[in-house]
Amino acid sequence: MELRGETPAKRLVTFMLMKIQPNRRALGHRGQGGRVVVFQREQESKNQPHRRGEYNVYSTFQSHEPEFDYLKSLEIEEKINKIRWLPQQNAAYFLLSTNDKTVKLWKISERDKRPEGYNLKDEDGRIRDPTTITSLRVPVLRPMDLMVEATPRRVFSNAHTYHINSISVNSDYETYMSTDDLRINLWNLEITNRSFNIVDIKPANMEELTEVITAAEFHPNQCNTFVYSSSKGSIRLCDMRASALCDNHSKFFEEPEDPSNRSFFSEIISSISDVKFSHSGRYLMTRDYLTVKVWDLNMESKPLETYQVHDYLRSKLCSLYENDCIFDKFECVWNGSDSVIMTGSYNNFFRMFDRNTKRDVTLEASRENSKPRAILKPRKVCVGGKRRKDEISVDSLDFSKKILHTAWHPFENIIAVAATNNLYIFQDKVN
């Protein structure tokens, strides 16, 4: 069978370099319109001390605007690809946000007092004539309504030829890296006019390009170590102490393909869409189209654990290829203790896998099933044969409803799930 007269590997690389975004609408926390919405958990009520506070909108600001590259006649969309928080050092919050070309450092701070009693200017801000000042006043701070301000502190631009797909803050809290399809750059958070290229896989002849970089992340506590994944399903662990340019990796993780399972779509579904270190730094988690894999950093030959996310889609790969859903990039996350992993699927389903008990569950994020304080019921997908009452047929799945982005609270069992243009926040039941 021939589809569109092209090899899947070549189409995969071309697709990723073009960064087509099919059927992708705004998400609750970062959107197509370049806006960032920050949610804050309210304080627990004194009447119900065991009941966690609700999440409410804390701040909304425009992070990126649409731009135009006149040298390449290329329109740069404002949509945000990634957001990363920096560790909190004082009362203010700092985060990095990036679109396809530019990374910005934002400061989010509160102001509940305003200064009054200026000597050199009027209360409306106009500068006074020094010759008219006959007495000096001591400025005072007056209470005012709480105001949350988002101000851009740094703009890191003009360093990427291709589209940025990931950013990662280093454990030294002084540097971060930004990754596009062919290169990885290392930045100092204080320096905006230069970066250091630490990985470059661009061939001399672009016709020879066989893979692209899909994601990269720093080790959680070793500032010299990072990993990056590729569209060929491989993961490379690099050590910046070895050389300035980390084209030669320290470790290479790749699962050998079973020849009996090889198909037209093998290369596409093996492409890794997300890679995450465990909080302990001992393990790696990768997400490809159909599975989540957990790797031990000390064992390169094969993954330690493999979890099937939606194996029932194997029979649908042809139609998923035709509607470009097969190129969707799903993220994956660890819980705070690295014992449970979570990732998204279609039909607004998301999956959780318990690494200790090997149990898994499918849950649905939808307005109908997500009334406040309601308990989510496990969902099951029926592949063939007689369908039970609580099951949904694989032919009834809505592929336009997809959960690509998920997050897990670092200490508590609270998760955030972005489904189409809604953000859902779930927590474990509190007695």
Side-chain angles (χ1 to χ4, degrees):
M1 178 177 61
E2 184 177 350
L3 298 175
R4 301 193 184 182
E6 59 200 340
T7 65
K10 193 67 179 176
R11 183 169 180 225
L12 176 64
V13 171
T14 305
F15 189 97
M16 288 186 167
L17 288 174
M18 289 172 62
K19 279 293 182 296
I20 301 169
Q21 300 283 342
N23 305 323
R24 193 163 297 181
R25 293 169 60 193
L27 298 176
H29 59 301
R30 60 178 193 237
Q32 200 90 328
R35 295 183 71 77
V36 173
V37 183
V38 181
F39 292 85
Q40 181 188 46
R41 191 166 71 180
E42 299 299 325
Q43 295 292 325
E44 297 176 353
S45 63
K46 295 181 180 179
N47 299 331
Q48 296 172 302
H50 299 293
R51 183 170 168 176
R52 296 194 186 99
E54 299 291 335
Y55 278 89
N56 293 313
V57 174
Y58 178 66
S59 175
T60 303
F61 59 93
Q62 188 73 27
S63 176
H64 288 73
E65 301 281 355
E67 301 173 52
F68 193 81
D69 188 334
Y70 294 97
L71 291 176
K72 298 179 181 177
S73 296
L74 185 69
E75 186 176 344
I76 303 170
E77 295 182 30
E78 67 272 32
K79 70 175 183 64
I80 298 170
N81 294 338
K82 293 286 179 180
I83 291 174
R84 289 290 178 265
W85 289 99
L86 272 66
Q88 190 173 1
Q89 306 290 341
N90 49 40
Y93 303 96
F94 289 87
L95 62 84
L96 289 169
S97 63
T98 181
N99 65 353
D100 286 339
K101 297 291 183 183
T102 304
V103 183
K104 293 185 178 181
L105 174 66
W106 288 89
K107 177 184 179 182
I108 304 169
S109 55
E110 296 180 355
R111 190 148 61 94
D112 59 359
K113 293 182 175 64
R114 67 171 182 271
E116 289 184 1
Y118 289 103
N119 288 294
L120 297 177
K121 61 182 179 182
D122 295 327
E123 298 302 332
D124 56 4
R126 288 182 297 182
I127 302 297
R128 296 172 61 186
D129 182 358
T131 60
T132 64
I133 300 174
T134 57
S135 61
L136 294 177
R137 295 183 293 175
V138 177
V140 294
L141 293 173
R142 301 285 187 201
M144 59 175 282
D145 292 336
L146 178 67
M147 186 167 68
V148 180
E149 297 178 316
T151 52
R153 300 303 301 269
R154 307 273 190 279
V155 178
F156 307 89
S157 57
N158 304 321
H160 286 277
T161 305
Y162 300 95
H163 295 171
I164 299 172
N165 56 45
S166 59
I167 50 178
S168 179
V169 181
N170 202 348
S171 59
D172 61 10
Y173 306 143
E174 295 181 2
T175 57
Y176 76 93
M177 65 180 172
S178 57
T179 308
D180 67 25
D181 301 311
L182 298 179
R183 294 189 178 102
I184 300 176
N185 291 332
L186 180 69
W187 299 83
N188 187 298
L189 285 164
E190 300 294 326
I191 301 171
T192 61
N193 60 357
R194 70 176 181 271
S195 62
F196 298 96
N197 180 223
I198 54 176
V199 172
D200 187 349
I201 67 167
K202 183 179 180 181
N205 181 6
M206 285 293 282
E207 289 295 318
E208 300 172 1
L209 183 66
T210 59
E211 65 179 335
V212 294
I213 301 171
T214 55
E217 187 177 69
F218 271 118
H219 192 280
N221 46 50
Q222 297 175 10
C223 61
N224 54 283
T225 306
F226 69 94
V227 293
Y228 69 92
S229 58
S230 83
S231 57
K232 274 192 168 182
S234 58
I235 311 108
R236 292 169 174 86
L237 181 79
C238 300
D239 189 337
M240 291 190 292
R241 296 173 300 184
S243 65
L245 191 62
C246 298
D247 285 351
N248 294 320
H249 48 268
S250 302
K251 291 188 177 183
F252 183 79
F253 303 87
E254 187 177 47
E255 185 174 24
E257 185 184 15
D258 185 353
S260 62
N261 291 333
R262 182 161 181 81
S263 70
F264 179 87
F265 306 105
S266 294
E267 292 179 68
I268 298 179
I269 63 175
S270 66
S271 174
I272 294 173
S273 58
D274 195 19
V275 57
K276 293 277 172 61
F277 275 104
S278 62
H279 294 87
S280 66
R282 171 70 187 272
Y283 302 103
L284 269 176
M285 174 169 56
T286 59
R287 171 71 206 265
D288 56 42
Y289 191 66
L290 294 178
T291 66
V292 172
K293 295 184 174 76
V294 175
W295 302 77
D296 189 324
L297 289 188
N298 298 324
M299 186 172 72
E300 302 172 57
S301 58
K302 62 179 181 179
L304 196 66
E305 304 157 18
T306 300
Y307 301 96
Q308 300 293 335
V309 178
H310 38 215
D311 200 49
Y312 46 78
L313 293 183
R314 285 189 186 274
S315 61
K316 298 288 181 184
L317 292 179
C318 187
S319 57
L320 291 166
Y321 180 87
E322 288 297 325
N323 63 17
D324 287 336
C325 283
I326 202 169
F327 301 104
D328 285 333
K329 299 184 71 173
F330 292 96
E331 295 177 359
C332 53
V333 291
W334 303 86
N335 73 335
S337 61
D338 299 332
S339 61
V340 182
I341 55 183
M342 176 175 64
T343 189
S345 181
Y346 293 103
N347 208 69
N348 280 357
F349 288 167
F350 59 98
R351 303 268 284 140
M352 289 183 175
F353 304 93
D354 190 312
R355 298 181 58 212
N356 297 324
T357 64
K358 303 304 178 186
R359 293 172 59 187
D360 63 273
V361 65
T362 302
L363 301 171
E364 182 181 6
S366 67
R367 287 182 176 273
E368 296 78 23
N369 300 334
S370 303
K371 296 176 182 177
R373 308 299 166 193
I375 297 177
L376 292 182
K377 295 181 179 179
R379 302 301 306 269
K380 288 189 177 181
V381 178
C382 172
V383 179
K386 193 173 181 181
R387 183 170 65 90
R388 295 180 182 176
K389 180 182 178 182
D390 296 334
E391 293 181 337
I392 181 171
S393 169
V394 68
D395 297 316
S396 304
L397 297 176
D398 188 344
F399 294 108
S400 65
K401 295 179 180 179
K402 58 193 81 170
I403 292 179
L404 302 176
H405 311 292
T406 56
W408 203 307
H409 194 285
F411 314 115
E412 302 180 41
N413 279 330
I414 300 175
I415 60 172
V417 173
T420 318
N421 60 343
N422 295 310
L423 179 68
Y424 296 91
I425 296 175
F426 302 107
Q427 63 187 35
D428 60 350
K429 186 179 179 183
V430 179
N431 294 323

